[in-house]
């Protein structure tokens, strides 16, 4: 990982849900390199342990617990443990998510509910449970949403609905928590290279090339692009920004991504973890 502005977040504490891989781990590295102590949660202890080891090897201070964001008491316990170890939490990143390509008629009610539960209810759980442990005033809360929140996308009804809910939750909590000096924003990454998300959404070279052809800046972004935006949102430079949904997507949101009609739906029940 490249060097970030040193010590911009010295003494700050960041809690990152879904921080054990991909974009969220990239954010963890970015905030750690800027001096923040990092606490992460995700479901699988081996991923959590590997990410914590990676952050420490890069010179950061990190801790982690295996928690499913659908488990409110578990999320609350992880936040409490972070608070007890280090004190008031300055930054919350809620980025846990699940996704797969499936037409609505190719998914069960439980499949739809699973994505809503992880993405939307999980984000509510993380944000709601965090309030008691936040530095107030001063905390910056960031949810990770997606372009699907505002762009209806084929075979993404579950993710579109869940991320749309996250956008509105972001704005509602910005209203409620602004008077306490807590800023609540969301980042909508565009397609980011070397991530599980894009492995699932553009699994073939053809689908990847088709997507790149409609991105104004011509390529997928990097995890570092999202980490830099998250870092900005954690600093005083962003002290008057709340309730914002910030696209970091190479202009993807300006053009329609993907076809309006598909000749063939993906086979159901493939691509789960
Ligand atoms: P990823 O590597 O699969 O990240 C998902 C993270 O969430 C993992 O750490 C995963 O670890 C954790 N997780 C999943 N379900 C969980 C649960 N129920 N409870 C707790 N943790 C859970 O995927 P990514 O592609 O980097 O995506 C990260 C975020 O960016 C997501 O919010 C996604 O919607 C958003 N996003 C991604 C892209 C992209 O280009 N990839 C574009 C737009 C938005 P465990 O398996 O250990 O739980
Ligand atoms: N198409 C249709 N349905 C699918 C599916 C697919 N590709 N993948 C899973 N499902 C269904 C399952 O069949 C199940 O429904 P059922 O009980 O009616 O059979 C339901 O979704 C839940 O699946 P399960 O595997 O039990 O859920 P989980 O909580 O263990 O895992 C997922 C959640 C399905 C989202 C899994 O893909 C995951 O863990 N993803 C995390 C990583 C990720 O998606 N990263 C990218 C983030 S953008």
């Amino acid at each position: 990982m490249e060097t970030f502005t040193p010590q911009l977040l010295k003494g700050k504490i960041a809690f990152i849900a879904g921080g054990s891989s991909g974009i969220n781990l990239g954010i963890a590295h970015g905030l750690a390199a800027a001096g923040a102590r990092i606490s992460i949660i995700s479901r699988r202890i081996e991923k959590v342990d590997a990410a914590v080891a990676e952050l420490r090897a890069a010179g950061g201070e990190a801790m982690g617990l295996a928690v499913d964001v659908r488990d409110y008491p578990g999320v609350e316990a992880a936040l409490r443990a972070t608070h007890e170890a280090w004190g008031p939490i300055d930054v919350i990143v809620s980025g846990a998510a699940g996704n797969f390509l499936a037409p609505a008629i190719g998914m069960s009610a439980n499949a739809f509910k699973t994505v809503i539960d992880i993405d939307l209810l999980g984000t509510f759980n993380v944000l709601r449970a965090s309030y008691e442990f936040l530095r107030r005033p001063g905390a910056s809360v960031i949810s990770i949403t997606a372009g699907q929140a505002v762009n209806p996308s084929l075979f993404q009804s579950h993710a579109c609905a869940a991320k749309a809910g996250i956008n509105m939750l972001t704005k509602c909590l910005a209203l409620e928590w602004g008077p306490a000096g807590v800023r609540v924003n969301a980042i909508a990454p565009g397609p980011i290279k070397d991530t599980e998300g894009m492995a699932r959404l553009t699994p073939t070279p053809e689908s990847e090339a088709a997507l790149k052809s409609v991105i104004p800046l011509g390529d997928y972004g990097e995890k570092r692009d999202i980490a830099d935006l998250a870092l900005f949102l954690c600093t005083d430079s962003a002290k008057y920004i709340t309730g914002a949904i910030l696209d970091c997507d190479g202009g993807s949101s300006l053009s329609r991504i993907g076809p309006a009609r598909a000749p063939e739906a993906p086979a159901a029940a493939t691509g789960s973890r």
Side-chain angles (χ1 to χ4, degrees):
M1 181 67 59
E2 301 153 60
T3 311
F4 284 74
T5 311
Q7 305 306 296
L8 208 51
L9 300 183
K10 187 171 171 50
K12 306 254 183 190
I13 293 149
F15 179 92
I16 305 181
S20 68
S21 62
I23 289 172
N24 306 317
L25 179 55
I27 293 172
H29 273 290
L31 303 190
R37 283 181 278 192
I38 308 294
S39 176
I40 62 167
I41 59 166
S42 82
R43 293 167 301 178
R44 287 178 272 178
I45 189 63
E46 64 277 12
K47 279 185 71 177
V48 170
D49 287 347
V52 166
E54 196 181 299
L55 287 161
R56 288 179 180 160
E61 211 176 321
M63 62 184 278
L65 288 167
V67 176
D68 192 313
V69 292
R70 293 169 282 191
D71 167 19
Y72 188 90
V75 170
E76 191 176 37
L79 285 154
R80 189 180 301 282
T82 304
H83 185 266
E84 279 172 7
W86 293 332
I89 301 174
D90 300 281
V91 177
I92 299 289
V93 178
S94 176
N99 201 0
F100 47 81
L101 283 173
I105 57 165
M107 68 174 93
S108 65
N110 188 49
F112 186 86
K113 178 178 181 297
T114 296
V115 172
I116 299 291
D117 282 352
I118 299 172
D119 294 26
L120 178 54
L121 293 176
T123 294
F124 178 81
N125 289 347
V126 170
L127 271 48
R128 167 68 183 84
S130 75
Y131 190 78
E132 177 185 351
F133 305 106
L134 293 179
R135 188 179 302 284
R136 303 192 303 271
S140 174
V141 174
I142 302 166
S143 293
I144 306 301
T145 181
Q148 286 98 318
V150 290
N151 301 315
S153 313
L154 276 169
F155 314 132
Q156 286 284 273
S157 58
H158 46 357
C160 288
K163 295 294 193 182
I166 289 175
N167 284 17
M168 191 51 82
L169 182 64
T170 299
K171 291 169 189 280
C172 290
L173 294 194
L175 274 177
E176 293 188 16
W177 294 358
V182 174
R183 295 181 296 106
V184 186
N185 294 291
I187 295 175
I192 302 300
K193 63 181 70 155
D194 303 324
T195 60
E196 183 63 29
M198 293 321 297
R200 288 170 182 237
L201 297 183
T202 53
T204 64
E206 293 73 27
S207 56
E208 187 174 317
L211 178 50
K212 284 183 180 170
S213 74
V214 296
I215 300 173
L217 290 184
D219 202 355
Y220 285 3
E222 297 174 359
K223 292 167 201 158
R224 168 75 192 256
D225 297 320
I226 309 304
D228 280 345
L229 179 53
L231 175 60
F232 166 71
L233 283 173
C234 296
T235 66
D236 271 358
S237 301
K239 68 181 169 44
Y240 204 51
I241 300 177
T242 196
I245 313 295
L246 298 166
D247 292 326
C248 183
D249 67 353
S252 300
S253 55
L254 304 174
S255 50
R256 185 175 179 83
I257 294 190
R261 295 168 63 84
E264 222 177 290
T270 57
S272 74
R273 77 189 162 96

